[in-house]
Amino acid sequence: MTETELTETGAQGRRSARPAREPGARGRCFDAAVRAYLVRHPEATVVALGEGLGTGFWRLDNGRLNWLTVQPPETAAVRRMLLPDGARRRTVARAVTDHGWLDAVREPQRGVIVTAPGVLMRLSPPAVRALLAACAERFPGGALVFDALPRWASALARRAAGPAGGRRPAPVRWGLDRAELPRLAAAHPGIVAVREIHRPDFPARYRHRIPVLRALTPLVCEVRFAGARCPRSASSAVS
């Protein structure tokens, strides 16, 4: 059975054991960004950084996309065992900061959208800059979707966090305020736009009426990359 048949028939045996779980509010923002990109690039590759045992492929598959999950080697083996690779779905054993995973995208000219929920906030500012630059240079016309805590919240999380290791997640190392989105757009010449993705179920007329809630909640952003190299110079926006 092909991946398309698996998706269209409901994958009777496999999906009954591993249903495509409905995401929370943050996850719906990521899904909305991917769906919108796939409308424009139906044969794109979706690169899911740090997906774990996520089931995004089954929620978002249009029958034509390719799906690449990037996991550290110690967890990639677990994912491959529970969610074996398919014709259009693969797991690559690489750390996010090891940019060798970019080579695993076979046809970037068809479009690439990278999702990184909970990933960038746990990288150092130089690592964030390097990831943005690598994606901008290797995936022209692509996009990167990530979430970030406001700077005050990221600082609080760092103080409250204990030592990393075992089952404890890596500490939060990078934050981003909404007011900094224009500066983020200037972080690399290949970035042409940065926008916040709002919750699909949250009416637009209420977004600016609850400033306290906006200040407390993480933001989900989409960074869009130019189809050709831009002549402008980069700034030091990511810090």
Side-chain angles (χ1 to χ4, degrees):
M1 180 178 290
T2 66
E3 290 279 1
T4 301
E5 293 169 338
L6 185 63
T7 301
E8 292 178 349
T9 63
Q12 298 297 325
R14 181 169 299 191
R15 288 187 64 186
S16 61
R18 292 188 297 273
R21 299 184 300 274
E22 286 300 315
R26 183 188 64 165
R28 288 194 292 274
C29 292
F30 280 87
D31 283 4
V34 173
R35 288 191 177 101
Y37 190 85
L38 291 173
V39 169
R40 304 190 301 272
H41 307 277
E43 296 182 345
T45 297
V46 180
V47 181
L49 301 181
E51 185 183 22
L53 296 177
T55 56
F57 172 84
W58 288 273
R59 290 196 309 272
L60 301 169
D61 184 26
N62 61 0
R64 300 168 67 185
L65 63 80
N66 285 283
W67 193 278
L68 188 69
T69 297
V70 178
Q71 286 289 123
E74 60 271 19
T75 55
V78 176
R79 180 177 173 90
R80 286 197 188 107
M81 179 177 65
L82 298 177
L83 297 169
D85 289 357
R88 293 184 293 108
R89 178 173 46 82
R90 294 177 293 135
T91 296
V92 173
R94 295 272 188 174
V96 170
T97 52
D98 176 356
H99 295 167
W101 60 262
L102 284 84
D103 297 327
V105 178
R106 292 169 176 165
E107 296 181 288
Q109 72 276 9
R110 295 182 182 272
V112 181
I113 180 167
V114 181
T115 64
V119 174
L120 268 63
M121 66 177 70
R122 304 186 189 282
L123 301 180
S124 66
V128 174
R129 288 195 295 271
L131 179 61
L132 287 171
C135 290
E137 293 164 9
R138 295 288 297 275
F139 303 143
L144 168 66
V145 186
F146 69 93
D147 55 350
L149 293 173
R151 286 189 181 273
W152 72 266
S154 64
L156 182 63
R158 285 194 297 273
R159 289 196 296 269
R167 294 180 179 273
R168 188 185 298 273
V172 174
R173 305 176 66 187
W174 178 68
L176 181 70
D177 293 333
R178 285 176 170 83
E180 296 179 289
L181 293 184
R183 292 179 58 220
L184 183 64
H188 188 275
I191 296 176
V192 294
V194 178
R195 70 181 184 100
E196 181 178 358
I197 301 172
H198 299 287
R199 286 175 48 177
D201 58 344
F202 197 67
R205 63 181 180 274
Y206 295 133
R207 289 174 190 153
H208 300 289
R209 296 182 182 180
I210 315 177
V212 174
L213 181 61
R214 282 173 54 81
L216 293 174
T217 57
L219 65 159
V220 179
C221 300
E222 180 187 54
V223 178
R224 295 186 178 181
F225 305 123
R229 185 176 295 276
C230 298
R232 63 182 177 84
S233 60
S235 75
S236 57
V238 180
S239 60

